[in-house]
Amino acid sequence: MSDKKRKLIQNNPEEAVEPEGKKAKKEKKEKKEKRKSVDVADAVKTEEPTTVNDQAEKKEKKEKKEKKEKKDKKDKKEKKDKEEKKEKKDKEEKKDKKDKKEKKDKKKKKDESEDQTPDVNGADQDTTDAMDVDVAPPAESKSEKKKSKKDKKAKKEKEPEPIEDNAQENSEEAQPNEGEKQKQNRFIVFVGNLPYSANQESLTEHFSKITPLSIRVATEKDKPTKCRGFGFVEFDNYDRMKTCLKLYHHSTFDDKKYPPRRINVELTAGGGGNTGNRKAKIEAKNKKLFEERQRQAKETHQVKENKQNPEETAGNQYAGVHPSRLGRMA
């Protein structure tokens, strides 16, 4: 380079021209720097939305986690409640089973005790009367009867007359024995076809003439004032029970709340329960009672017919007599 050129460059540096190689390098360097600045700007731009997205995702994840935890807690609670309910139910079922078993055992014991006690109204006896309670003594032969009579006479002759004190003692001893017998033998009748309005007072009034010992009306559990249509009447002796069966069967019951109706009076067995043995006893008793009532109805019907047709009865007076004896009867 000449001295002139150097002076010009020193005086005007702007006008100085750089060599082409250096110029190209400088341009490349500038381009690279521009590219870097653009890349950095792009990176910053991309980073900003990614951070926002990450925050949103984190928030969603957090919410999901919280929801899951709540659901798990709820499920655990429900599971626990179900288990507790199941345990309670199992306990109640066990308790019910135990109660039922105890009731069944009690009922069995009661039935066994009933079977062991003697039959109250004599249903197992072979007598024709269905209501007969007294046990028939064993048949004695004629020779035994004569001997017993002779022995009694000899004793009467030997023994002096009894003193009043002894008689009183014997009477006192007899009284408790009678009480024990009455405890064993209960005289109860079943009264059916009662209206729903029937109660103890109306039944007592209906049976007032034969003075019952006690009256029980079967009522509903939910409504204790509503009758179930039947009841039980107990008497202190056998005769009154027999009178009740005879006179009050198909009698008209009127409590002035329902229309009058005919009631049924039948035999029953004390103790309660629906065992087969008890049902069989009641059926046997009422079967005999029904047969006896039919027989009585036939007899009363025949008596009425005889009263209506006295001529026929006079003609048939000797209907059962043998012809050979008719001459003597006349």
Side-chain angles (χ1 to χ4, degrees):
M1 225 183 201
S2 63
D3 294 331
K4 282 181 181 181
K5 280 184 182 180
R6 279 175 190 169
K7 280 178 184 179
L8 284 168
I9 289 162
Q10 284 174 1
N11 292 324
N12 296 315
E14 291 175 0
E15 289 179 6
V17 180
E18 291 179 355
E20 287 180 3
K22 282 182 181 181
K23 199 177 180 181
K25 281 179 183 180
K26 199 176 183 182
E27 282 174 2
K28 278 182 183 178
K29 199 176 182 184
E30 283 173 1
K31 280 181 183 178
K32 271 185 183 180
E33 284 173 0
K34 278 182 184 179
R35 277 178 195 169
K36 277 183 184 180
S37 61
V38 170
D39 291 337
V40 168
D42 291 334
V44 169
K45 282 179 185 177
T46 52
E47 275 175 7
E48 283 175 359
T50 51
T51 52
V52 172
N53 291 333
D54 290 341
Q55 283 176 358
E57 281 176 9
K58 281 179 182 180
K59 200 175 181 183
E60 281 177 11
K61 280 180 182 179
K62 200 177 183 182
E63 284 174 1
K64 281 181 182 179
K65 200 176 182 182
E66 283 175 359
K67 281 181 183 178
K68 201 177 181 183
E69 283 175 359
K70 280 181 183 177
K71 201 178 179 182
D72 291 338
K73 280 181 183 179
K74 201 176 179 182
D75 291 338
K76 280 180 183 178
K77 199 177 181 183
E78 284 176 2
K79 203 175 182 183
K80 201 177 181 182
D81 291 337
K82 280 182 183 178
E83 284 175 0
E84 283 175 1
K85 281 180 183 177
K86 201 177 180 182
E87 283 175 6
K88 279 184 183 178
K89 203 176 179 182
D90 292 338
K91 281 180 183 178
E92 283 174 4
E93 283 176 1
K94 281 179 182 178
K95 200 178 180 183
D96 290 336
K97 280 181 182 178
K98 201 178 181 182
D99 292 337
K100 281 181 183 177
K101 200 176 182 183
E102 283 174 2
K103 281 181 185 177
K104 206 175 181 182
D105 292 337
K106 280 181 184 177
K107 205 174 181 184
K108 269 188 181 180
K109 284 177 183 177
K110 204 174 183 183
D111 294 337
E112 284 171 7
S113 63
E114 274 178 23
D115 294 339
Q116 285 172 4
T117 52
D119 189 8
V120 176
N121 296 318
D124 297 331
Q125 294 171 10
D126 297 327
T127 56
T128 52
D129 189 358
M131 297 169 288
D132 194 7
V133 178
D134 300 328
V135 181
E140 293 179 357
S141 60
K142 289 180 181 180
S143 59
E144 285 176 355
K145 281 181 181 178
K146 284 179 183 179
K147 279 181 183 179
S148 61
K149 281 180 183 179
K150 282 179 184 178
D151 293 335
K152 282 177 184 177
K153 280 181 183 179
K155 280 179 182 178
K156 279 181 182 179
E157 287 171 4
K158 286 178 184 178
E159 288 177 3
E161 291 181 358
I163 306 161
E164 290 180 0
D165 296 335
N166 291 336
Q168 285 177 358
E169 285 175 8
N170 291 332
S171 65
E172 284 173 4
E173 285 175 4
Q175 281 174 356
N177 289 333
E178 285 174 7
E180 285 174 9
K181 281 182 182 178
Q182 282 182 354
K183 275 182 187 177
Q184 286 179 352
N185 299 332
R186 293 176 72 189
F187 308 102
I188 308 168
V189 293
F190 169 85
V191 183
N193 199 33
L194 291 170
Y196 294 128
S197 60
N199 54 25
Q200 199 164 357
E201 290 171 5
S202 55
L203 267 179
T204 308
E205 192 180 339
H206 186 74
F207 292 101
S208 60
K209 289 182 181 178
I210 46 174
T211 58
L213 187 69
S214 68
I215 289 171
R216 295 186 299 282
V217 180
T219 55
E220 290 186 0
K221 287 180 182 178
D222 301 335
K223 298 178 183 178
T225 53
K226 191 179 179 182
C227 175
R228 287 167 63 193
F230 64 94
F232 301 93
V233 182
E234 189 173 356
F235 299 96
D236 57 351
N237 60 46
Y238 166 74
D239 294 329
R240 281 181 181 164
M241 183 185 77
K242 196 171 181 180
T243 307
C244 179
L245 288 162
K246 194 174 182 181
L247 301 179
Y248 285 86
H249 181 59
H250 287 171
S251 62
T252 306
F253 179 84
D254 185 12
D255 61 350
K256 292 168 186 175
K257 293 176 185 176
Y258 270 72
R261 55 170 69 192
R262 291 168 75 188
I263 58 170
N264 304 320
V265 180
E266 296 172 355
L267 286 165
T268 185
N274 290 322
T275 56
N277 190 22
R278 185 172 179 272
K279 282 182 180 177
K281 281 182 184 180
I282 294 168
E283 277 180 20
K285 287 178 186 180
N286 286 312
K287 193 179 178 183
K288 287 182 181 181
L289 180 63
F290 177 71
E291 287 170 4
E292 194 175 333
R293 280 174 176 166
Q294 276 190 329
R295 193 173 65 249
Q296 285 174 354
K298 278 182 184 177
E299 285 172 3
T300 51
H301 184 66
Q302 199 168 358
V303 168
K304 282 181 184 177
E305 281 184 353
N306 291 342
K307 282 181 182 178
Q308 286 173 2
N309 303 318
E311 293 175 3
E312 288 180 12
T313 52
N316 293 330
Q317 191 176 0
Y318 304 112
V321 182
H322 196 270
S324 61
R325 296 201 174 192
L326 284 172
R328 295 177 192 174
M329 300 291 287

Coordinates of all heavy atoms in Angstrom, one line a residue, residues 171-204:
S171 N -112.7 -85.2 106.9 CA -113.3 -84.2 106.0 C -112.2 -83.2 105.6 O -112.2 -82.8 104.4 CB -114.5 -83.5 106.6 OG -114.0 -82.7 107.7
E172 N -111.4 -82.8 106.5 CA -110.3 -81.9 106.2 C -109.3 -82.5 105.2 O -108.8 -81.8 104.4 CB -109.6 -81.4 107.5 CG -110.4 -80.4 108.3 CD -109.8 -80.1 109.6 OE1 -108.7 -80.6 109.9 OE2 -110.4 -79.4 110.4
E173 N -109.0 -83.8 105.5 CA -108.1 -84.4 104.5 C -108.7 -84.6 103.2 O -108.0 -84.5 102.1 CB -107.7 -85.8 105.1 CG -106.8 -85.8 106.3 CD -106.6 -87.2 106.9 OE1 -107.1 -88.1 106.3 OE2 -105.9 -87.3 107.9
A174 N -110.0 -84.8 103.1 CA -110.6 -85.0 101.8 C -110.7 -83.8 101.0 O -110.5 -83.8 99.7 CB -112.1 -85.5 102.0
Q175 N -110.8 -82.6 101.7 CA -110.9 -81.4 100.9 C -109.6 -81.0 100.1 O -109.8 -80.7 98.9 CB -111.2 -80.2 101.9 CG -112.6 -80.1 102.3 CD -112.9 -79.1 103.4 OE1 -111.9 -78.4 103.8 NE2 -114.1 -78.9 103.7
P176 N -108.4 -81.2 100.7 CA -107.3 -80.9 99.8 C -107.1 -81.9 98.7 O -106.7 -81.5 97.6 CB -106.1 -81.0 100.8 CG -106.6 -81.6 102.0 CD -108.0 -81.3 102.1
N177 N -107.5 -83.2 98.9 CA -107.5 -84.1 97.8 C -108.4 -83.7 96.7 O -108.0 -83.9 95.5 CB -107.9 -85.5 98.3 CG -106.8 -86.1 99.3 OD1 -105.6 -85.8 99.1 ND2 -107.2 -87.0 100.2
E178 N -109.6 -83.3 97.0 CA -110.5 -82.8 96.0 C -109.9 -81.6 95.2 O -110.0 -81.5 94.0 CB -111.8 -82.4 96.6 CG -112.7 -83.6 97.0 CD -113.9 -83.2 97.8 OE1 -114.2 -82.0 97.9 OE2 -114.6 -84.0 98.3
G179 N -109.2 -80.7 96.0 CA -108.6 -79.5 95.4 C -107.5 -80.0 94.4 O -107.4 -79.4 93.3
E180 N -106.7 -81.0 94.8 CA -105.7 -81.5 93.9 C -106.3 -82.1 92.6 O -105.8 -81.9 91.5 CB -104.8 -82.6 94.6 CG -103.9 -82.0 95.6 CD -103.2 -83.0 96.4 OE1 -103.3 -84.2 96.1 OE2 -102.5 -82.7 97.4
K181 N -107.4 -82.8 92.8 CA -108.1 -83.4 91.6 C -108.5 -82.3 90.6 O -108.4 -82.5 89.4 CB -109.2 -84.3 92.0 CG -108.8 -85.7 92.5 CD -110.0 -86.5 92.9 CE -109.6 -87.8 93.4 NZ -110.8 -88.6 93.8
Q182 N -109.1 -81.3 91.2 CA -109.6 -80.2 90.4 C -108.5 -79.5 89.7 O -108.7 -79.0 88.6 CB -110.4 -79.2 91.3 CG -111.8 -79.7 91.6 CD -112.6 -78.7 92.4 OE1 -112.1 -77.7 92.8 NE2 -113.9 -79.0 92.6
K183 N -107.3 -79.4 90.4 CA -106.2 -78.8 89.7 C -105.8 -79.6 88.5 O -105.5 -79.1 87.4 CB -105.0 -78.7 90.7 CG -105.0 -77.5 91.6 CD -103.8 -77.4 92.4 CE -103.9 -76.3 93.5 NZ -102.8 -76.3 94.4
Q184 N -105.8 -80.9 88.6 CA -105.5 -81.8 87.5 C -106.5 -81.7 86.4 O -106.2 -81.6 85.2 CB -105.3 -83.2 88.0 CG -104.0 -83.5 88.8 CD -104.0 -84.9 89.2 OE1 -104.9 -85.7 89.1 NE2 -102.8 -85.3 89.8
N185 N -107.8 -81.8 86.8 CA -108.9 -81.7 85.8 C -109.4 -80.3 85.6 O -110.0 -79.8 86.5 CB -110.0 -82.7 86.3 CG -109.6 -84.1 86.4 OD1 -108.7 -84.5 85.7 ND2 -110.2 -84.8 87.3
R186 N -109.2 -79.8 84.4 CA -109.8 -78.5 84.1 C -110.9 -78.6 83.2 O -110.8 -79.4 82.2 CB -108.7 -77.6 83.5 CG -107.6 -77.3 84.5 CD -106.5 -76.5 83.8 NE -107.0 -75.1 83.6 CZ -106.3 -74.2 82.8 NH1 -105.1 -74.6 82.3 NH2 -106.7 -73.0 82.6
F187 N -112.0 -77.9 83.4 CA -113.2 -78.1 82.7 C -113.4 -76.8 81.8 O -114.0 -75.8 82.2 CB -114.4 -78.2 83.6 CG -114.2 -79.3 84.6 CD1 -113.9 -79.0 85.9 CD2 -114.3 -80.7 84.2 CE1 -113.6 -80.1 86.8 CE2 -114.1 -81.7 85.2 CZ -113.8 -81.4 86.5
I188 N -112.9 -76.9 80.5 CA -112.8 -75.8 79.6 C -113.6 -76.1 78.4 O -113.5 -77.3 77.9 CB -111.4 -75.4 79.2 CG1 -110.5 -75.3 80.5 CG2 -111.3 -74.2 78.4 CD1 -109.0 -75.2 80.2
V189 N -114.4 -75.1 77.9 CA -115.0 -75.3 76.6 C -114.6 -74.2 75.6 O -114.2 -73.1 76.0 CB -116.6 -75.2 76.7 CG1 -117.1 -76.4 77.5 CG2 -117.0 -73.9 77.3
F190 N -114.6 -74.6 74.3 CA -114.3 -73.6 73.2 C -115.6 -73.0 72.7 O -116.5 -73.7 72.4 CB -113.6 -74.4 72.1 CG -113.4 -73.6 70.9 CD1 -112.3 -72.8 70.7 CD2 -114.3 -73.7 69.8 CE1 -112.1 -72.1 69.6 CE2 -114.1 -73.0 68.7 CZ -113.0 -72.2 68.5
V191 N -115.5 -71.7 72.6 CA -116.7 -70.9 72.1 C -116.3 -70.3 70.8 O -115.4 -69.5 70.7 CB -117.2 -69.8 73.1 CG1 -118.4 -69.2 72.6 CG2 -117.4 -70.4 74.5
G192 N -117.0 -70.7 69.7 CA -116.6 -70.2 68.3 C -117.8 -69.4 67.7 O -118.9 -69.3 68.3
N193 N -117.5 -68.8 66.5 CA -118.4 -68.0 65.7 C -118.8 -66.7 66.5 O -120.0 -66.3 66.4 CB -119.6 -68.8 65.3 CG -120.4 -68.2 64.2 OD1 -119.7 -67.5 63.3 ND2 -121.7 -68.3 64.1
L194 N -117.9 -66.2 67.3 CA -118.2 -64.9 68.0 C -118.0 -63.7 67.1 O -117.1 -63.8 66.2 CB -117.2 -64.8 69.2 CG -117.5 -65.7 70.4 CD1 -116.3 -65.6 71.3 CD2 -118.8 -65.5 71.1
P195 N -118.7 -62.6 67.3 CA -118.5 -61.4 66.4 C -117.2 -60.7 66.9 O -116.7 -61.0 68.0 CB -119.7 -60.5 66.8 CG -120.2 -61.0 68.1 CD -119.8 -62.4 68.2
Y196 N -116.6 -59.9 66.0 CA -115.4 -59.2 66.3 C -115.5 -58.2 67.5 O -114.5 -57.8 68.0 CB -114.9 -58.4 65.1 CG -114.5 -59.3 63.9 CD1 -115.0 -59.1 62.6 CD2 -113.6 -60.4 64.1 CE1 -114.7 -60.0 61.6 CE2 -113.3 -61.2 63.1 CZ -113.8 -61.0 61.8 OH -113.5 -61.8 60.8
S197 N -116.8 -57.8 67.8 CA -117.0 -56.9 68.9 C -117.1 -57.6 70.3 O -117.2 -56.9 71.3 CB -118.3 -56.1 68.6 OG -119.4 -57.0 68.5
A198 N -117.1 -58.9 70.3 CA -117.2 -59.7 71.5 C -116.1 -59.3 72.5 O -114.9 -59.2 72.1 CB -117.3 -61.1 71.3
N199 N -116.4 -59.3 73.8 CA -115.4 -59.0 74.8 C -115.7 -59.8 76.0 O -116.7 -60.6 76.1 CB -115.2 -57.6 75.1 CG -116.5 -56.9 75.5 OD1 -117.4 -57.6 76.0 ND2 -116.6 -55.6 75.3
Q200 N -114.9 -59.7 77.1 CA -115.1 -60.5 78.3 C -116.4 -60.2 79.0 O -117.1 -61.1 79.5 CB -113.9 -60.3 79.2 CG -113.8 -61.4 80.3 CD -112.4 -61.3 81.0 OE1 -111.6 -60.5 80.6 NE2 -112.2 -62.2 81.9
E201 N -116.8 -58.9 79.0 CA -118.0 -58.5 79.6 C -119.3 -59.2 79.0 O -120.2 -59.7 79.6 CB -118.2 -57.0 79.6 CG -117.1 -56.3 80.6 CD -117.1 -54.8 80.4 OE1 -118.0 -54.3 79.6 OE2 -116.3 -54.2 81.0
S202 N -119.3 -59.1 77.6 CA -120.5 -59.6 76.9 C -120.6 -61.1 77.0 O -121.7 -61.7 77.2 CB -120.4 -59.2 75.4 OG -119.2 -59.6 74.8
L203 N -119.4 -61.8 77.0 CA -119.4 -63.3 77.2 C -119.8 -63.6 78.6 O -120.6 -64.6 78.8 CB -118.0 -63.8 76.9 CG -117.8 -64.3 75.5 CD1 -116.4 -64.8 75.3 CD2 -118.7 -65.4 75.1
T204 N -119.3 -62.9 79.6 CA -119.7 -63.2 81.0 C -121.2 -63.0 81.2 O -121.9 -63.8 81.9 CB -119.0 -62.2 81.9 OG1 -117.6 -62.2 81.7 CG2 -119.2 -62.5 83.4

